């Protein structure tokens, strides 16, 4: 009975979480008049008009490629820098090590809103304004990723690294062939966190990008809402297109994600 109650309770919670996504998906297949009436759950007449309007109104494919380029490159860079710096802080001793690590943790406590103006000035002076690298370069090193990888690497016995060095392995070889395979749960969790962050990022593209062809998927939703009218069906269709890649990435890395949360205590 306890197990039945637990599964029923968890299934109810899962249903509550899924309902907004199902509602968004169903609205994307409705006509605007039916959405305004709000008297049905399932569409009376299923239509792809909203999706056609998204593809016809904005260069959604170009924005999708821009988002993929920014998200994939930023995720790869952050995974490399976070795991490498985490390896250094976990397995090496040097002066001011703890001070530097606390300084990195302190950067996680700074609100992004407080750094908007100086970041914009820096991007402008570097001549990166209205270019996609402006979304990647400022975040190439992140305090959260370093902290997460360092906590995982500290649990790896030092004897493994010492045995590799006795066999003649260099430091980078130890990092690449021994450390990385052993922290795959952390890498999987960090991949999802970083992918979600950059794929759903709205404020930075709004600040750093100007030309329409350089924009990203997160800005697609705002193009169907004006001061006078709001095309809810098109907004829901655009939101569905924005959500699909994130859902695919989560399904690919869900085991590592769940294991990473359980081990690191991120709950």
């Amino acid at each position: 009975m306890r197990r039945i109650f637990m599964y029923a309770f968890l299934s109810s919670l899962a249903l509550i979480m899924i309902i907004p996504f199902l509602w968004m998906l169903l609205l994307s297949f409705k006509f605007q008049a039916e959405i305004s009436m709000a008297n049905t759950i399932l569409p009376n007449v299923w239509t792809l008009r909203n999706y056609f309007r998204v593809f016809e109104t904005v260069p959604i494919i170009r924005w999708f490629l821009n988002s993929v380029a920014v998200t994939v490159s930023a995720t790869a860079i952050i995974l490399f820098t976070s795991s490498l710096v985490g390896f250094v802080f976990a397995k090496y001793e040097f002066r001011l090590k703890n001070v530097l690590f606390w300084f990195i943790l302190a950067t996680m406590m700074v609100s992004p809103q407080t750094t908007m103006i100086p970041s914009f000035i820096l991007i402008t002076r570097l001549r990166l304004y209205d270019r996609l690298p402006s979304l990647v370069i400022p975040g190439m090193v992140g305090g959260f990723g370093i902290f997460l990888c360092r906590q995982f690497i500290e649990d790896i016995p030092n004897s493994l690294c010492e045995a590799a060095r006795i066999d003649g392995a260099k430091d980078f070889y130890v990092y690449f062939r021994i450390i990385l395979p052993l922290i795959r749960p952390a890498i999987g969790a960090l991949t999802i966190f970083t992918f979600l962050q950059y794929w759903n990022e709205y404020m930075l593209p709004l600040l750093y990008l100007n030309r329409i062809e350089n924009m990203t998927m997160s800005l697609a939703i705002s193009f169907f809402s004006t001061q006078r009218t709001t095309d809810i069906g098109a907004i829901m269709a655009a939101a569905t297109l924005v959500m699909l890649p994130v859902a695919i990435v989560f399904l690919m890395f869900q085991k590592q994600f769940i294991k990473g949360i359980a081990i690191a205590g991120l709950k």
Side-chain angles (χ1 to χ4, degrees):
M1 290 299 297
R2 180 180 300 176
R3 177 170 296 183
I4 293 175
F5 176 78
M6 180 184 67
Y7 277 107
F9 177 71
L10 294 177
S11 299
S12 301
L13 288 180
L15 183 60
I16 294 174
M17 299 297 176
I18 292 174
I19 284 176
F21 297 100
L22 292 177
W23 185 250
M24 175 187 68
L25 186 62
L26 293 174
L27 287 180
S28 68
F29 290 103
K30 289 184 178 182
F31 287 101
Q32 184 67 26
E34 188 176 350
I35 295 176
S36 302
M37 294 172 61
N39 58 357
T40 60
I41 298 178
L42 295 176
N44 292 325
V45 179
W46 295 76
T47 178
L48 295 175
R49 168 193 169 276
N50 297 317
Y51 291 93
F52 288 135
R53 188 164 189 274
V54 170
F55 282 93
E56 293 171 357
T57 306
V58 297
I60 195 71
I61 297 178
R62 178 66 180 269
W63 292 359
F64 176 80
L65 295 177
N66 290 342
S67 293
V68 169
V70 170
T71 305
V72 171
S73 57
T75 301
I77 293 173
I78 290 177
L79 289 179
F80 174 72
T81 57
S82 298
S83 58
L84 185 61
V85 177
F87 170 59
V88 171
F89 275 105
K91 298 302 180 183
Y92 290 85
E93 296 294 333
F94 49 89
R95 292 184 60 186
L96 301 179
K97 170 184 173 180
N98 292 330
V99 175
L100 290 175
F101 185 70
W102 282 108
F103 177 78
I104 291 174
L105 292 183
T107 62
M108 299 170 55
M109 306 174 191
V110 179
S111 174
Q113 287 76 15
T114 61
T115 61
M116 282 184 182
I117 295 177
S119 298
F120 182 82
I121 295 174
L122 181 62
I123 289 297
T124 303
R125 291 182 178 179
L126 292 175
R127 298 182 179 180
L128 293 175
Y129 179 72
D130 202 19
R131 297 183 180 181
L132 292 180
S134 64
L135 305 179
V136 179
I137 293 177
M140 290 192 299
V141 180
F144 172 76
I146 294 174
F147 169 74
L148 180 63
C149 293
R150 186 241 190 192
Q151 298 304 107
F152 269 78
I153 296 173
E154 273 196 336
D155 294 334
I156 299 176
N158 293 330
S159 57
L160 291 177
C161 302
E162 294 170 358
R165 292 190 178 97
I166 291 175
D167 290 338
K170 300 297 182 182
D171 292 340
F172 190 79
Y173 186 89
V174 173
Y175 156 76
F176 188 74
R177 296 299 299 270
I178 296 178
I179 298 299
L180 282 184
L182 293 176
I183 62 170
R184 281 182 295 181
I187 295 297
L190 185 59
T191 299
I192 292 182
F193 288 139
T194 308
F195 191 94
L196 286 173
Q197 175 187 348
Y198 277 88
W199 186 267
N200 295 326
E201 182 63 55
Y202 179 80
M203 190 58 64
L204 291 184
L206 191 65
L207 289 175
Y208 297 158
L209 302 178
N210 185 30
R211 290 178 296 175
I212 293 180
E213 59 269 20
N214 285 342
M215 294 183 178
T216 58
M217 287 286 288
S218 57
L219 299 177
I221 301 175
S222 62
F223 268 72
F224 301 97
S225 180
T226 63
Q227 186 177 1
R228 298 182 181 276
T229 61
T230 299
D231 192 340
I232 299 178
I235 291 176
M236 295 299 107
T240 302
L241 295 175
V242 171
M243 187 195 70
L244 283 178
V246 176
I248 293 173
V249 170
F250 177 79
L251 292 175
M252 291 174 59
F253 294 97
Q254 60 177 330
K255 291 183 179 179
Q256 290 83 354
F257 177 69
I258 295 172
K259 187 176 180 181
I261 290 179
I263 295 178
L266 294 179
K267 294 181 288 185

